[in-house]
Amino acid sequence: MTMNIETKQQHVEATMRLAPVIPVVIIEDAKHAVPMARALVAGGIPAIEVTLRTPAALDAIRAIAAEVEGAVVGVGTVLTASDLQAAERAGARFAVSPGMSPKLLAAADDSTLPLLPGIATASEAMALFERGYRHLKFFPAVPAGGAKLLGAWASPLPQIRFCPTGGISLATAKDFLSLSNVLCVGGSWLTPGDKLNAGDWAGIEQLAREAAALRA
């Protein structure tokens, strides 16, 4: 059964409000997925975006969905209808795309998976707002104009809330989170490849704690 766009948007908003940062994860080895997700949840970061950039991604999503209590696992780098369908079968609870296309939006209409689509311009934001999307990913955030651009959109696009992603660090996240139209940011700094490969789950938990404290 498909949900209507407004119900899906409510799910997206709830996910965006879980913590100030949604980690954007590139996972090379599915066996790292469960301990990584447990470390993130323990550090106060429950929503996790596993990107479809490696062959291990769907297995990682499946494992986190099945085994990690408190985790809200989503799928990132969604480009096609088949990406959406595969992620839904794997147990993803939300989907994120770097941009938008007519075919992907049509597939999202037919899917139960709530979509957070990416935009980089005011015109793209308006086009998605016309379709009922009130929550959008701003990508790539820093190269596309950063916090100044998003802040400039707050007045003419007051109904839209953003998750800026791309080029953001712990040090710069507050520049975005201080904006009235930003609910959270996406960041890859919480799960760096060296810590994943070394199995440094305590280190990842500490990075998660620092990110969770951004809201304080």
Side-chain angles (χ1 to χ4, degrees):
M1 187 181 94
T2 59
M3 294 182 282
N4 64 32
I5 184 68
E6 178 55 31
T7 302
K8 290 176 187 173
Q9 285 291 286
Q10 290 169 6
H11 281 274
V12 170
E13 179 179 1
T15 301
M16 291 170 70
R17 291 186 181 277
L18 286 172
V21 182
I22 296 177
V24 179
V25 181
I26 299 172
I27 197 151
E28 301 286 350
D29 189 334
K31 75 171 186 288
H32 293 153
V34 167
M36 174 206 69
R38 286 179 176 151
L40 290 169
V41 172
I45 301 290
I48 304 165
E49 176 190 336
V50 177
T51 63
L52 293 179
R53 301 182 196 179
T54 68
L58 289 171
D59 285 339
I61 291 167
R62 200 172 290 112
I64 295 168
E67 300 179 43
V68 184
E69 186 176 353
V72 178
V73 64
V75 58
T77 322
V78 171
L79 305 179
T80 66
S82 60
D83 288 343
L84 269 182
Q85 293 157 3
E88 193 173 352
R89 287 194 299 270
R93 308 238 317 252
F94 65 97
V96 185
S97 61
M100 61 169 183
S101 72
K103 285 185 177 179
L104 181 60
L105 293 176
D109 289 342
D110 293 334
S111 172
T112 60
L113 211 52
L115 177 65
L116 179 65
I119 62 97
T121 68
S123 294
E124 291 170 341
M126 289 171 61
L128 283 167
F129 183 67
E130 285 182 357
R131 291 186 67 120
Y133 286 88
R134 295 176 293 105
H135 299 90
L136 304 174
K137 170 181 173 175
F138 175 50
F139 178 82
V142 172
K148 285 187 176 181
L149 181 61
L150 266 186
W153 286 349
S155 181
L157 301 173
Q159 308 95 328
I160 302 176
R161 296 293 177 267
F162 295 94
C163 173
T165 304
I168 300 172
S169 66
L170 180 68
T172 60
K174 280 196 172 181
D175 295 340
F176 291 92
L177 292 168
S178 65
L179 298 173
S180 62
N181 57 349
V182 170
L183 295 184
C184 64
V185 302
S188 57
W189 81 86
L190 285 78
T191 55
D194 58 344
K195 290 192 186 304
L196 285 174
N197 293 332
D200 184 4
W201 313 126
I204 287 175
E205 182 177 338
Q206 179 58 33
L207 291 172
R209 287 187 189 284
E210 291 169 359
L214 287 168
R215 190 85 84 198

